[in-house]
Amino acid sequence: MEECIFCKIANSEIPAKIIAESEKSTAFLDVNPLSKGHTLVVPKSHAETVLDLSEEDWCDMNRLVKDVVARIYDRLSPDGFNIGINMHKAGGQAVEHIHIHIIPRWQGDGGGSVHTIVHNPPQESLEEIHAQLS
Ligand code: AMP
Ligand code: ZN
């Protein structure tokens, strides 16, 4: 995609602090880090969401996530991580090229967990939802 900023980073058309690469994915520092070492992992070929990715690209991205987490853990010694994807506008996605956030966490850093993203419990019972999804 011509105007996609993460395609441009993956193709070395604009600068970024790339910290690791695989055949199909690139990992670079988030320009507005939420914590030290906040990294984004993207596929080199454009895809907006996980649903648009090939199985191979998805597996490759996740392998790189694991490598990057291990490296950050080793070199920056965080106490934990949040790892996740914002999908579509409702999920907070601003850049329409899928990226996995790797956010190192430290004890007492004041942040929350995945449980603090939203509080919108369903009206339906778990049985109803289970029936819809199984
Ligand atoms: P999201 O809301 O999940 O789409 O997050 C997009 C992320 O991309 C934000 O955390 C931004 O700080 C980050 N970002 C945007 N442009 C760049 C860039 N040129 N280089 C590195 N990170 C970027
Ligand atoms: Zn793109």
Side-chain angles (χ1 to χ4, degrees):
M1 277 260 285
E2 264 171 36
E3 287 313 312
C4 173
I5 194 158
F6 287 175
C7 280
K8 287 182 177 171
I9 289 174
N11 293 323
S12 308
E13 289 168 24
I14 61 169
K17 298 280 186 273
I18 293 174
I19 62 166
E21 247 185 298
S22 61
E23 189 196 342
K24 294 173 171 297
S25 313
T26 307
F28 53 93
L29 295 179
D30 193 296
V31 76
N32 265 315
L34 296 174
S35 67
K36 183 178 177 182
H38 181 178
T39 298
L40 303 175
V41 174
V42 305
K44 289 181 178 175
S45 42
H46 184 83
E48 183 176 342
T49 77
V50 64
L51 299 178
D52 308 309
L53 268 182
S54 70
E55 197 75 8
E56 208 182 336
D57 283 5
W58 175 239
C59 291
D60 188 90
M61 270 181 93
N62 280 280
R63 267 195 300 271
L64 189 57
V65 166
K66 184 175 173 177
D67 289 351
V68 168
V69 167
R71 189 187 303 186
I72 293 173
Y73 201 48
D74 182 51
R75 301 197 191 170
L76 303 184
S77 304
D79 299 314
F81 288 89
N82 295 106
I83 300 166
I85 295 172
N86 296 324
M87 178 168 160
H88 290 329
K89 217 172 244 171
Q93 184 172 11
V95 178
E96 292 174 346
H97 179 132
I98 185 173
H99 45 284
I100 301 179
H101 289 264
I102 299 172
I103 304 170
R105 296 292 305 275
W106 278 266
Q107 216 65 252
D109 64 11
S113 72
V114 165
H115 300 282
T116 62
I117 291 172
V118 69
H119 185 69
N120 181 26
Q123 303 299 311
E124 301 87 347
S125 67
L126 286 186
E127 286 71 21
E128 285 173 88
I129 299 165
H130 180 252
Q132 277 188 288
L133 293 178
S134 55

